[in-house]
Amino acid sequence: MNYCSNCGSNALKFSIPEGDHLPRFICSKCHSIHYQNPRMIVGCIIENEKGEIMLCKRGIEPRLGFWNLPCGFLENNETVEDGAIREVFEETGAKVQLGKLHSIYNLVKAQQVYLIFQAKMQDDHYQTTPESTAIEFFPLNEIPWDQIAFSSNSHAIEHLIQKRKGLAEGLSIGSYQNQN
Ligand SMILES: [Zn+2]
């Protein structure tokens, strides 16, 4: 952070406010304290009648050309459920019915938390978009593991495989300490 988003001053210092325990950007002019917190990414693991899951080929950086579950940043004034449905629609044109929360994944160093819901298509429609240059349903034994964009996605897919085998149930919570 270089400028105060409240007054525009560049007189920022990074130090621990009184009574706090972590350093924050503090404006020396207007005394605003700028708290920075993790961002939330919401999305879906969408299963069709054959038990295959939808993956989208990323048309944007980072990880351009890698496969991803449809997901994206939660907006302000939006529930996580609505955000997950919206992200799927924006990336694939598909309308989904949400099921249960499937996985939570902490990307600790990247300051992100993923929430992935189980979902089913409301109808057969989907289409490529600038964000998703290809969309395919993959059987769980044909997942292109070395081309999955993010560890958060691998975690969600692996949990579904474990559930199908009867080795896991409910919600899986995972975490990764490095960037992706
Ligand atoms: Zn300021």
Side-chain angles (χ1 to χ4, degrees):
M1 193 168 196
N2 295 315
Y3 296 95
C4 173
S5 56
N6 185 49
C7 75
S9 161
N10 65 355
L12 291 173
K13 57 179 181 164
F14 192 61
S15 61
I16 301 175
E18 203 180 315
D20 204 341
H21 65 290
L22 288 173
R24 318 286 181 184
F25 285 103
I26 304 170
C27 179
S28 304
K29 265 222 170 103
C30 74
H31 308 292
S32 291
I33 302 171
H34 299 283
Y35 295 95
Q36 294 179 312
N37 300 95
R39 291 190 292 172
M40 196 163 278
I41 294 172
V42 290
C44 294
I45 189 160
I46 304 167
E47 296 172 70
N48 67 11
E49 319 78 54
K50 293 188 230 162
E52 300 163 335
I53 60 164
M54 178 192 277
L55 293 177
C56 306
K57 196 168 221 177
R58 292 176 61 81
I60 50 172
E61 294 286 1
R63 296 289 204 186
L64 177 74
F66 282 73
W67 294 95
N68 201 23
L69 298 170
C71 59
F73 289 105
L74 182 67
E75 300 286 4
N76 290 339
N77 305 310
E78 183 178 52
T79 66
V80 292
E81 299 95 317
D82 287 346
I85 292 168
R86 175 186 53 75
E87 281 294 338
V88 171
F89 185 72
E90 283 179 7
E91 293 187 7
T92 72
K95 291 180 180 158
V96 291
Q97 177 103 45
L98 283 196
K100 288 185 174 166
L101 183 58
H102 173 76
S103 62
I104 297 176
Y105 198 76
N106 299 287
L107 277 172
V108 177
K109 294 279 166 59
Q111 287 97 38
Q112 295 174 358
V113 180
Y114 275 74
L115 295 188
I116 302 294
F117 289 88
Q118 289 194 291
K120 297 218 180 300
M121 307 273 287
Q122 288 190 10
D123 54 47
D124 291 337
H125 175 78
Y126 60 88
Q127 65 194 43
T128 58
T129 64
E131 288 180 67
S132 305
T133 55
I135 299 168
E136 285 181 33
F137 280 89
F138 288 82
L140 290 181
N141 59 0
E142 289 176 25
I143 301 296
W145 290 109
D146 57 347
Q147 294 167 58
I148 297 294
F150 303 111
S151 60
S152 53
N153 288 206
S154 303
H155 169 257
I157 300 166
E158 280 163 7
H159 182 49
L160 184 61
I161 291 171
Q162 295 297 98
K163 273 180 169 174
R164 291 263 183 89
K165 288 180 179 167
L167 299 173
E169 57 182 18
L171 174 69
S172 176
I173 303 178
S175 61
Y176 193 71
Q177 298 293 325
N178 294 320
Q179 290 295 327
N180 286 306

